[in-house]
Amino acid sequence: MSSFGRPATKEELIAILATEEADSAELFNAARELTIETVGAKVYFRGIIEWSNVCIKDCFYCGIRKSNRQVERYVIPDEKIIEAAVWAWKAGYGSIVMQSGEQRSRQFTDKVTRLLQAIMRETNGELGVTLSLGEQSFDTYKQWFDAGAKRYLLRIETSNRELYTSLHPPDHHFEERVECLIALREAGYQVGTGVMIGLPGQTDEMLADDILFFKKMDIDMIGMGPYIPHHQTPMASAIPDFEAVKKQQFYKGLVMIAATRLFLPDINIAASTALQALNDVGRELGIMAGANIIMPNITDSEYRASYQLYDNKPCTGETSSMCHDCMTLRLSAYGVEIGFNEHGDSKHFFRRIGAETH
Ligand code: SAH
């Protein structure tokens, strides 16, 4: 029997987060076993399309922040976005994620609505769509939900107010982000959030509080990954020698996944691309530590290099079908089955709305 039971308190979470690497195999096995028991052994693909890097926000950590004048800004034409969605549907991906920089305008809202309607039409309403388009009003969230999006990802980035403030300009507000998570839930979405792990000044106690925050907000899905500096941001050298701490940063990312799984067994947890940026088999190891979702990139190759949230983002020179074959092969090497043609919805969501999982 594993000595890593289900943590019940903040202190127990902190103890798990402090697990030494020598004892980690046991921790990761316990998390993977629990994953299989609760959400199943299969891993689900969400094809992610990063369809625009135009952004009104100026987050200190992010490579596509408004003030970074060195980024070539793009918006992928509608027909190419729809094409990518149809490609994913035909490839058997149960769902896609449409992510972009943040914009707030009637024009932006309506464009996304039209895209959703077209994608629903072209895929017989079978493709699940997750949005990750930042902070919006309840009405906007509702309009997109009615147009067919059923899940939304909005990372809180950190649940610690002071740390949040240190990572953002004064007009970015923690409370507003929390309000958005509440609005998303009211609009009917499966709600996803998450944090960056290994931020300058972040402690294990803060990470434990992040997991408690996920529980308090009754979150359905988590997307989280290690913080990785981007050289054109104000935080470029906030971690003095990143190369030297890269391994620890990666390891903390895995431990955070395992701790979250042990605390919140029935949610979906993604093995983020940032894990892959720090370790060649990063996403696979994320799965073996308790994640059950992978987001292969389906962005047109032409644009990938301009969606650099952090340095050395992987797979930017590849095409959608290369990412598909690569991920499938990589997972089979770990004996992990992929849930093709299934939505792989959050079991927690159906439990909280009192319905059976389909
Ligand atoms: N505009 C959308 C999508 C943001 S990009 C939104 O606001 O939700 C998706 C995520 O990338 C962010 O939420 C952030 O957690 C992550 N990210 C940004 N910069 C990063 C960095 N330097 N290292 C690791 N993750 C980063």
Side-chain angles (χ1 to χ4, degrees), residues 50-54 73-78 81 103 111 303:
E50 300 151 338
W51 61 274
S52 171
N53 64 358
V54 178
R73 303 288 165 172
Y74 71 86
V75 182
I76 300 183
D78 288 7
I81 301 173
Q103 287 187 67
K111 178 189 169 74
Y303 304 101

Side-chain angles (χ1 to χ4, degrees), residues 173-228:
H173 299 290
F174 176 83
E175 293 303 339
E176 281 174 19
R177 219 157 165 89
V178 175
E179 287 303 319
C180 283
L181 289 172
I182 296 167
L184 285 164
R185 185 188 165 102
E186 279 169 8
Y189 286 92
Q190 293 180 44
V191 181
T193 193
V195 294
M196 283 177 287
I197 303 150
L199 287 162
Q202 193 179 39
T203 62
D204 283 352
E205 182 178 2
M206 291 179 196
L207 290 171
D209 279 330
D210 290 339
I211 300 175
L212 294 172
F213 175 86
F214 303 155
K215 184 177 169 74
K216 188 178 99 193
M217 299 296 292
D218 207 6
I219 283 303
D220 304 306
M221 356 182 261
I222 297 290
M224 59 185 173
Y227 162 69
I228 304 172

